[in-house]
Structures are given as structure tokens and as C-alpha cells.
Amino acid sequence: MKIVVLGAGVIGVTTAYHLLRDGHEVTLIDRQPGPGLETSFANGGQVSASHATPWSNPSAPRQFLSWLGRADAPLAIHFGTDPALWRFLFRFLANCRAGPSKANAAMVLRLALYNRGLLADIRAQTGVEFAAEDRGILHLYRSEREMRRAMDAADHLRREGLEIEDLNAAACVALEPALEPRRSTLVGGLFSPGDLSGDAHAFTHGLAQYCADAGVQFELENPITRLAHSGGRITGVMTERGVITAERYVLALGSYSPLMLEPLGIRIPIYPAKGYSATVPIANAKGAPRISVTDDQHKIVIARLGDKLRIAGTAEFDGYNTDLDPRRARAALDAGAALFPDAMDLEGAEFWAGLRPLTPDGVPVIGRTPFSNLILNTGHGTLGWTLACASGRIAADLATDREPEHDISGLGMERF
Ligand SMILES: Cc1cc2nc3c(=O)[nH]c(=O)nc-3n(C[C@H](O)[C@H](O)[C@H](O)COP(=O)(O)OP(=O)(O)OC[C@H]3O[C@@H](n4cnc5c(N)ncnc54)[C@H](O)[C@@H]3O)c2cc1C
């Protein structure tokens, strides 16, 4: 079957890979000159089932209020007149209640656990290299209160099938010796041994190359302007270089998905949540972590990518503005440097900003649409790298009328 995938981020490329393996004729369209150059470019690098608890959780409203007005806070909301932002925030608040938040966490966790086996298969089948560190992920806490709250959330994930260990400060340092200089500031941690880290862009690029070598067509530097439709079916993708047609279409345009869907009468509440990262050369290998770390107090993640460290975090709600605010970018870097002093050559830091395609419930949107030949694979928010292989598998199944082996209830757009 001829299938077009719209968007060559990590989500579009993994979808194309699964379709290729199933024997289909695949075309990928993207406006960038290469795959993975927007949000999938310099993210936190964590493939982390242990991050399944969504941002919309019971402690979020209190925490968000405490950050308002602080220039270096992990969160900034540019309250303006954008009705989409207000609609998003109301829905976000509704999902902060304990019941929905737990259900959403369980759904994301199941998808992340499904992802693990599929990512392992892709690595074995393609040999794609992405500076992977298969060492687990360590979440660090500096106050008893935060640690207790995290242990409660972890208990829920454990009951849903995640292996996660409670550690005291000494055990955290034993696991990751680069934490030794900060031992006295730590209360403890949670360690998820089945998680890993690696470079999402290298993965996306490498997998895209594999797909191209095996016959997937890439239409790069080709902005999509709209989707043409007739009689309840998509009839073509209108691009700046002409119309591209297929039997089936999978839309994986990240934060830009709602803009393409709105003219079709499909409204999905995805809002862009800007985040920052700094990629810094390692100056002292002994002082740099090998295990990917999450610093709960500063809301940053740190991953070792070969001879560099990636530090990522912060959330800024400012529409589609991708400008880099140097204070916020610097705040994330400083928090990372404080945790691993002398590990990095700070002068060599490269800063980046990207837009997480966030849904109010923290669950991606994977499923069918009112158009019989259009499938959605979008809205992966903070966890697109963690969920890409599973989401791509499910979208490929739906696009080709196969029953997904994973339970997809709750993932589709009908929940809105
Ligand atoms: C700071 C930060 C840290 C993060 N850390 C992590 C992490 O540690 N782990 C994790 O799992 N996730 C993380 N994420 C989230 C993750 O990066 C995203 O969920 C993921 O990259 C989304 O992938 P995507 O393919 O949906 O979107 P994208 O990568 O943005 O891909 C969408 C593609 O669509 C194309 N496109 C859009 N509109 C058009 C158009 N009109 N015409 C043609 N092409 C178009 C774009 O060019 C782009 O290539 C982080 C995100 C940020 C910002």
C-alpha cells in the first residue's frame, strides 16, 4: 500500500520504519532539510518510562503558582489573549485531579514499557547508533517532602509494572560516583534500571538513513500547506512543490499538528511548551555522570551523549515562539553545572530551544480520525523519544488496518 507520513521527527521516522518493515511503499514529507531537526533535535535524551507521571498531576497547580514571576523558574506562562492557551490550561487543570492523573500515568507507562522491546528490536535490526547509555535513569531528591511525594508516585508506577528502586543518598553515589561532591545535598533517589538515554537526533537521522537505503522516499525542504479531502477521505497532501497522493496518510507534525488539522474541522488540544537544552563538552570525564540523571528540584534532566553532556529542562508557554531566552537557558545549564562541578567546559555550551507538543492529559494522540484514511500520531509532549517506537508501531498498524497488539483505548482523539 502507498502511505504518506507527514513530518520526519522521531515520531514520523519510526512510523515510516514500521511501515517499511511491513512491506509498504512509504513517502515522508518534511519542511526541514533533514529528519529530526525540530523538537527531536536536542531534547533531554532520556528514554524514561519512569517519567510517565504527567505534568498535569495533583502537585502541579501549587508548584506552578510558586514559580510565577521568577525569571529563572522552571515554568513561565505568557498569559495573553491566545484562546488556545486558556482552553489548554483549563483542560490541564482538570487533569491534575488524582483520578485522571493516575489513569494517564498508567496509560503512558504501558506505552513506554511496550516501547522498550520495540526499541531493542530496531537496534538489533538496523544497528542504528545513538550514543546509547543502557544504565537506567536516576531521579534525585533534595528534600524529604519531595522524596516522599515521588515515592508515592513511584508506588503507583510500580503497581502498574515498572521496576523502580528507592535509594538513600549513599546508594545514589555508589551507583553514580560523579555525584560524590554533592552527596551532602541529597536526601535520596529513585532508580529505574530498565530506562536508558541516548541522542534522539542521531537515532532519528540514522533510522531515516536506514529507511532511505531501503526505499523510503524523502520529500525534504517541502512545506505542507494543507490536506485536500473529499467524501470523508484525504485525497492529497498539498505542498509547496505540488500534490502528493497516497492511499493512507499518517500525520506526525508534532506541535504543528493542530494547525494542519483545524481546517479539516478536527480540533485537538495540543499546545507548544517550549523547552531548552544546553549541550556541553565534557572537560573531566570522571566528574561527568554515565547514568542519566533527573534533578527534581530544578526540573532538569542530564544525559551523557558520547563526549558531551546534554542538560535539558524548563517549560515556557508562549505560543509558537522559538526564541531562546538566555536567562532561562542559562538557568538550566547552571543547575546542571552545580550538580556536576568541573565536569563540563561551560564556555563550549551550545543552547537550543524546541516546542514540546503537549496535551493537557500528558497522553499522546494516536488513532483514527473522521477521515477514513487519516491516522494521527502526535501530541507526545515531554516523552516523544520515550514513546516513539511504540507509537510508530501502533500508527503503522492502524494505517494498514491491522489490529494493534497494544491496547489503544484512551489514546485516540475521541477522548477530547
Ligand atoms: C527541552 C526538551 C527536552 C525533552 N526531553 C525529552 C526526553 O528526555 N525524553 C523524551 O522522551 N522526550 C523529550 N522531549 C520531547 C520530545 O523531544 C518530543 O516529544 C518529540 O521530539 C516530538 O517528536 P515529533 O516527531 O512529534 O515532533 P518533531 O520532532 O517536531 O517533528 C515534527 C516534524 O514535522 C515537521 N513539520 C511541521 N509542520 C510542517 C509543515 N507544515 N510542513 C512540513 N513539515 C512540517 C517539522 O519540520 C518536524 O520535523 C523533550 C523536548 C524538549 C523541548
Side-chain angles (χ1 to χ4, degrees):
M1 198 179 317
K2 190 172 177 203
I3 303 169
V4 163
V5 179
L6 293 82
V10 69
I11 300 299
V13 170
T14 46
T15 306
Y17 168 80
H18 289 298
L19 289 167
L20 168 78
R21 293 277 304 183
D22 294 346
H24 300 287
E25 192 186 326
V26 188
T27 300
L28 256 164
I29 313 175
D30 203 286
R31 60 187 170 197
Q32 295 292 342
L37 292 179
E38 294 207 3
T39 308
S40 304
F41 184 63
N43 67 21
Q46 291 192 335
V47 180
S48 56
S50 54
H51 269 287
T53 304
W55 280 0
S56 39
N57 64 68
S59 63
R62 187 191 52 79
Q63 209 160 35
F64 286 6
L65 284 174
S66 75
W67 288 329
L68 283 182
R70 250 182 57 199
D72 63 344
L75 173 82
I77 305 179
H78 297 260
F79 293 106
T81 51
D82 181 2
L85 173 60
W86 287 101
R87 277 198 300 272
F88 179 88
L89 291 175
F90 281 124
R91 284 189 142 131
F92 184 94
L93 279 177
N95 278 287
C96 288
R97 289 171 297 139
S101 176
K102 278 194 167 169
N104 295 334
M107 218 178 325
V108 172
L109 176 67
R110 283 196 290 274
L111 202 53
L113 294 178
Y114 179 45
N115 191 84
R116 283 184 177 171
L118 292 166
L119 174 57
D121 289 348
I122 292 180
R123 290 172 75 178
Q125 282 154 5
T126 66
V128 62
E129 295 284 348
F130 54 97
E133 294 283 358
D134 295 275
R135 294 165 191 267
I137 289 179
L138 177 60
H139 301 246
L140 298 173
Y141 303 93
R142 293 205 178 79
S143 82
E144 295 285 355
R145 191 167 153 210
E146 291 304 324
M147 176 89 198
R148 257 197 319 276
R149 190 160 37 217
M151 283 166 76
D152 286 348
D155 276 345
H156 174 56
L157 298 182
R158 201 176 279 123
R159 280 193 298 275
E160 296 290 337
L162 180 72
E163 185 188 350
I164 188 157
E165 301 161 14
D166 306 343
L167 304 181
N168 61 23
C172 291
V173 177
L175 198 61
E176 179 43 77
L179 287 168
E180 178 61 48
R182 288 290 171 260
R183 176 199 287 255
S184 62
T185 67
L186 302 176
V187 164
L190 289 164
F191 179 58
S192 168
D195 284 336
L196 62 100
S197 64
D199 186 335
H201 174 250
F203 175 84
T204 308
H205 191 270
L207 193 62
Q209 191 59 55
Y210 176 93
C211 291
D213 292 346
V216 169
Q217 294 289 318
F218 279 80
E219 285 276 344
L220 297 173
E221 292 184 274
N222 194 6
I224 300 161
T225 50
R226 69 182 176 88
L227 289 170
H229 62 97
S230 166
R233 289 177 65 79
I234 300 299
T235 51
V237 183
M238 317 303 280
T239 75
E240 288 194 357
R241 294 210 299 265
V243 189
I244 299 170
T245 59
E247 289 158 76
R248 304 287 162 88
Y249 301 84
V250 180
L251 185 136
L253 296 173
S255 291
Y256 297 84
S257 304
L259 307 185
M260 198 59 68
L261 292 169
E262 184 139 12
L264 302 177
I266 298 176
R267 273 190 156 192
I268 47 169
I270 290 176
Y271 200 82
K274 183 158 62 174
Y276 292 87
S277 74
T279 307
V280 198
I282 293 173
N284 162 23
K286 268 186 141 177
R290 287 219 85 105
I291 291 179
S292 181
V293 163
T294 297
D295 178 338
D296 186 74
Q297 184 184 358
H298 296 104
K299 304 291 177 218
I300 55 163
V301 300
I302 304 178
R304 187 166 182 147
L305 304 177
D307 56 2
K308 297 189 171 155
L309 285 185
R310 170 77 48 77
I311 303 165
T314 82
E316 202 176 332
F317 290 85
D318 190 17
Y320 285 89
N321 174 359
T322 52
D323 291 350
L324 222 144
D325 176 342
R327 285 170 311 179
R328 302 183 64 72
R330 189 76 213 184
L333 176 61
D334 288 348
L339 194 56
F340 297 106
D342 307 325
M344 300 168 238
D345 167 14
L346 297 177
E347 295 301 309
E350 288 176 50
F351 296 104
W352 170 85
L355 300 176
R356 304 174 182 92
L358 202 64
T359 57
D361 53 13
V363 179
V365 189
I366 313 168
R368 300 186 179 88
T369 67
F371 294 85
S372 59
N373 58 348
L374 176 64
I375 298 298
L376 302 184
N377 191 7
T378 184
H380 292 79
T382 60
L383 289 177
W385 175 211
T386 299
L387 304 175
C389 302
S391 306
R393 180 64 268 163
I394 294 168
D397 288 337
L398 294 175
T400 54
D401 304 327
R402 278 169 44 151
E403 190 60 37
E405 61 178 352
H406 188 80
D407 176 10
I408 58 168
S409 42
L411 296 179
M413 58 171 274
E414 49 299 332
R415 71 183 191 267
F416 305 119

